């Protein structure tokens, strides 16, 4: 009797599998991934900048997998804050474990709002004034996608021409 019941369960499962595979041929497509943006090319932060130069932040674009999807409204922001005498001083200030140093300034790029078009390479430009003091600066960048913000930071050096 147990053997007969097991066979009945197996037959019922096979029938369900066959029926589910033989539908109208339509399936619900899996939702594609959206286009994402992250900061930035390594060269952008590894370069030593001089006062009077523009720092360019070349955003990295990872295209989404659904070309028909309407891109979300995205805003990319970047700014430099500093100078700090060295990286440990910068990290202490950024982590809130030290008071902000006197003379700390901020240089900001205009927000960039990419369209999501194929091949688009958004760039933020941060003007560094001629009178910018040398030192380590905190590059703070953010991606705001419809209210959800992802941010990060990196260290950038500004030094007079050698």
């Amino acid at each position: 009797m147990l053997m007969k019941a097991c066979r009945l369960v197996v037959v019922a499962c096979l029938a369900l599998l066959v029926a589910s595979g033989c539908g109208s041929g339509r399936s619900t497509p899996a939702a594609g991934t959206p286009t994402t943006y992250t900061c930035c090319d390594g060269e952008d932060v590894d370069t030593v900048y001089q006062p009077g130069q523009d720092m360019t932040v070349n955003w990295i674009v990872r295209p989404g997998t659904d070309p028909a999807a309407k891109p979300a409204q995205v805003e990319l922001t970047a700014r430099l804050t500093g100078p700090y005498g060295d990286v440990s001083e910068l990290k202490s200030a950024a982590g809130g474990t030290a008071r902000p140093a006197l003379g700390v300034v901020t240089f900001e790029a205009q927000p960039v709002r990419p369209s999501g078009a194929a091949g688009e390479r958004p760039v933020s430009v941060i003007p560094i004034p001629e009178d910018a003091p040398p030192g380590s600066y905190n590059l703070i960048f953010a991606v705001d996608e419809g209210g959800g913000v992802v941010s990060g930071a990196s260290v950038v050096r500004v030094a007079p021409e050698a």
Side-chain angles (χ1 to χ4, degrees):
M1 186 70 158
L2 182 59
M3 191 78 131
K4 197 173 194 178
C6 286
R7 269 189 264 188
L8 195 56
V9 170
V10 169
V11 170
C13 288
L14 286 173
L16 280 173
L17 285 173
V18 169
S20 66
C22 298
S24 65
R26 291 185 189 188
S27 63
T28 305
T33 59
T35 297
T36 59
Y37 302 88
T38 56
C39 182
C40 37
D41 288 345
E43 187 177 310
D44 296 343
V45 294
D46 292 338
T47 299
V48 176
Y49 295 90
Q50 282 82 46
Q53 278 189 316
D54 288 340
M55 177 185 182
T56 56
V57 176
N58 293 282
W59 294 89
I60 299 168
V61 181
R62 289 193 178 82
T65 59
D66 184 1
K70 184 176 184 260
Q73 180 64 36
V74 176
E75 183 174 88
L76 310 173
T77 57
R79 70 180 184 270
L80 287 175
T81 301
Y84 297 95
D86 57 34
V87 175
S88 62
E89 184 182 316
L90 181 152
K91 288 183 178 187
S92 293
T97 59
R99 289 181 36 195
L102 291 176
V104 170
V105 295
T106 298
F107 314 128
E108 288 190 64
Q110 292 293 317
V112 174
R113 293 176 187 90
S115 67
E120 184 176 35
R121 291 287 312 203
V123 175
S124 293
V125 179
I126 303 172
I128 302 170
E130 295 269 343
D131 61 350
S136 296
Y137 284 76
N138 196 8
L139 169 64
I140 302 164
F141 48 87
V143 178
D144 183 342
E145 275 186 282
V149 178
V150 176
S151 63
S154 192
V155 177
V156 173
R157 284 191 11 122
V158 173
E161 264 187 276

